[in-house]
Amino acid sequence: AQSVTQPDIHITVSEGASLELRCNYSYGATPYLFWYVQSPGQGLQLLLKYFSGDTLVQGIKGFEAEFKRSQSSFNLRKPSVHWSDAAEYFCAVGAGSSASKIIFGSGTRLSIRP
Amino acid sequence: GAVVSQHPSRVICKSGTSVKIECRSLDFQATTMFWYRQFPKQSLMLMATSNEGSKATYEQGVEKDKFLINHASLTLSTLTVTSAHPEDSSFYICSAMRMGSEAFFGQGTRLTVV
């Protein structure tokens, strides 16, 4: 069965520092992978997605993620975080036809230290 | 991008009553929609897959008689929480699949049962 693991429940980084959020997936075929961000009390915003091709994916708000098949990972990175990046981040894998059935990881809460 | 609208965004209902949540794809047709539930500080859990013109497919552990799903048209799916109880209080999010693309999420509905 498909699953997603986000090992870090909560991460705090200083504003301006770099960020890496970890994600590991389990999927039998080539996965469709996503990163979403959710601000408190809000819906989901898609940061980036990987379907195929270049394993380094660029997203919105300066985020990027790298798909590493050998490690079953899809870590999210940002070179310099801003206070507005504080939110909950979900890694997800798409299952089913067109990868529309999204299975979410448990999420990582990002806090920004002034 | 594709737009998925949920209504209402917030609802408070009395214990024992039923409440209906609508999920609409505004600028595309969606043969398949998905319903998720998110408890406070937790991840999103897939509840069911809603298929236009046929019965919904429920995930293990989700009571189909309690969470009624109707997908009567290609742009509308509804989730009715029947005989709601305080433990049903949660954030409910739908997503809709656009052909040839990934699923798009609504902004969610915060249900509070008092």
Side-chain angles (χ1 to χ4, degrees), chain B residues 32-87:
Chain B
T32 304
M33 292 185 176
F34 301 89
W35 286 97
Y36 296 81
R37 179 170 56 184
Q38 183 181 32
F39 290 110
K41 299 187 184 302
Q42 295 189 26
S43 186
L44 291 87
M45 301 301 296
L46 179 65
M47 298 175 66
T49 302
S50 171
N51 302 297
E52 187 268 335
S54 65
K55 291 182 179 180
T57 303
Y58 290 83
E59 296 298 305
Q60 191 173 12
V62 178
E63 300 176 61
K64 61 181 181 181
D65 294 331
K66 180 168 186 62
F67 298 100
L68 301 180
I69 292 173
N70 184 274
H71 195 156
S73 78
L74 287 172
T75 59
L76 174 64
S77 175
T78 60
L79 169 68
T80 301
V81 183
T82 62
S83 186
H85 290 282
E87 57 264 32

Side-chain angles (χ1 to χ4, degrees), chain A residues 53-104:
Chain A
D54 194 347
T55 56
L56 185 62
V57 180
Q58 301 296 320
I60 62 172
K61 302 184 178 185
F63 286 93
E64 67 177 25
E66 186 171 12
F67 169 59
K68 293 185 177 180
R69 184 187 299 276
S70 61
Q71 299 177 20
S72 297
S73 69
F74 189 56
N75 294 347
L76 181 71
R77 300 194 295 250
K78 186 170 184 177
S80 177
V81 297
H82 187 261
W83 63 267
S84 60
D85 293 325
E88 189 85 21
Y89 290 80
F90 293 98
C91 182
V93 63
S97 61
S98 301
S100 54
K101 183 176 178 179
I102 307 295
I103 308 298
F104 289 89

Side-chain angles (χ1 to χ4, degrees), chain B residues 5-12 19-23 35 79 91-92 107-111:
Chain B
S5 175
Q6 265 185 258
H7 179 80
S9 58
R10 292 178 179 271
V11 59
I12 300 173
V19 60
K20 181 185 288 187
I21 302 170
E22 294 185 346
C23 179
W35 286 97
L79 169 68
F91 193 55
Y92 293 86
Q107 285 305 299
T109 297
R110 172 88 46 203
L111 169 64

